[in-house]
């Protein structure tokens, strides 16, 4: 599985402030995905459902964690939305036929990892402790996590 890390800078609600600031979150894709570098803009478009296919036409399958999880907070931060706006956004996407389904919400990182393996176009955010050997690291803006210049959401 491919990974890249996003730093989550948190502020705002009690749920968000109770989480550790600057904790990295791994973004994981299917192991067969040939992607090695993504821009921050591409990530945002994928997570918002605006970019619907990978190179080669494989549909992007956005896998997310349930609301309240740190990975979901990082997603909201990247999209510049709160939870209510996120829900309304996906309702509108479905209503207007812009999406066939909202992102699949998983209760655990283990469930996400299984979904990533099952769907060739899958992309998700997971806790870095769940990143295992054999996962492919995807650069963001040509930087790896921890390197100077690595973009944060």
């Amino acid at each position: 599985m491919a990974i890249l890390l996003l730093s989550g800078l948190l502020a705002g609600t009690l749920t968000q402030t109770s989480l550790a600031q600057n904790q990295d979150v791994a973004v994981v894709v299917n192991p067969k995905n040939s992607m090695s570098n993504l821009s921050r803009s591409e990530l945002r478009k994928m997570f918002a459902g605006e970019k619907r296919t990978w190179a080669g036409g494989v549909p992007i399958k956005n896998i997310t964690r349930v609301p309240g999880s740190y990975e979901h907070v990082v997603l909201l931060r990247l999209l510049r939305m709160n939870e209510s706006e996120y829900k309304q956004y996906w309702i509108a996407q479905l209503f207007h036929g812009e999406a066939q389904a909202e992102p699949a919400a998983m209760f655990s990182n283990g469930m996400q990892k299984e979904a990533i393996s099952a769907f060739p176009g899958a992309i998700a955010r997971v806790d870095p402790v769940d990143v295992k050997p054999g996962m492919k690291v995807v650069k963001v803006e040509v930087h790896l996590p921890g390197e100077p210049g690595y973009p944060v959401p």
Side-chain angles (χ1 to χ4, degrees):
M1 292 181 206
I3 66 162
L4 54 96
L5 301 178
L6 297 172
S7 284
L9 299 176
L10 302 176
T13 69
L14 290 175
T15 301
Q16 291 174 332
T17 56
S18 66
L19 300 168
Q21 291 193 6
N22 299 321
Q23 180 181 339
D24 290 337
V25 174
V27 176
V28 183
V29 299
N30 184 281
K32 295 178 183 174
N33 192 318
S34 64
M35 188 59 60
S36 62
N37 183 53
L38 293 168
S39 71
R40 185 171 175 217
S41 174
E42 286 174 309
L43 285 177
R44 194 194 88 45
K45 288 177 183 177
M46 287 177 185
F47 293 143
E50 295 169 5
K51 181 173 175 152
R52 295 182 183 91
T53 60
W54 294 98
V58 175
I60 293 171
K61 175 80 171 165
N62 191 353
I63 310 292
T64 191
R65 287 289 308 276
V66 294
S69 66
Y70 181 74
E71 296 87 346
H72 192 73
V73 171
V74 171
L75 169 67
L76 295 176
R77 194 73 182 159
L78 182 66
L79 297 176
R80 298 183 190 113
M81 294 180 188
N82 62 38
E83 186 61 35
S84 177
E85 292 168 333
Y86 181 77
K87 288 178 184 176
Q88 289 299 315
Y89 175 82
W90 282 102
I91 289 170
Q93 291 289 308
L94 294 168
F95 182 76
H96 296 294
E98 296 294 321
Q100 294 179 359
E102 64 183 284
M106 303 290 161
F107 289 99
S108 71
N109 286 330
M111 291 173 73
Q112 281 187 310
K113 290 184 338 190
E114 288 181 28
I116 290 294
S117 294
F119 297 104
I123 184 169
R125 292 148 317 283
V126 301
D127 187 313
V129 299
D130 288 322
V131 174
K132 304 298 181 207
M135 292 179 170
K136 174 182 156 189
V137 176
V138 178
K139 295 180 179 182
V140 179
E141 306 284 350
V142 302
H143 296 286
L144 292 171
E147 291 181 348
Y150 185 76
V152 295

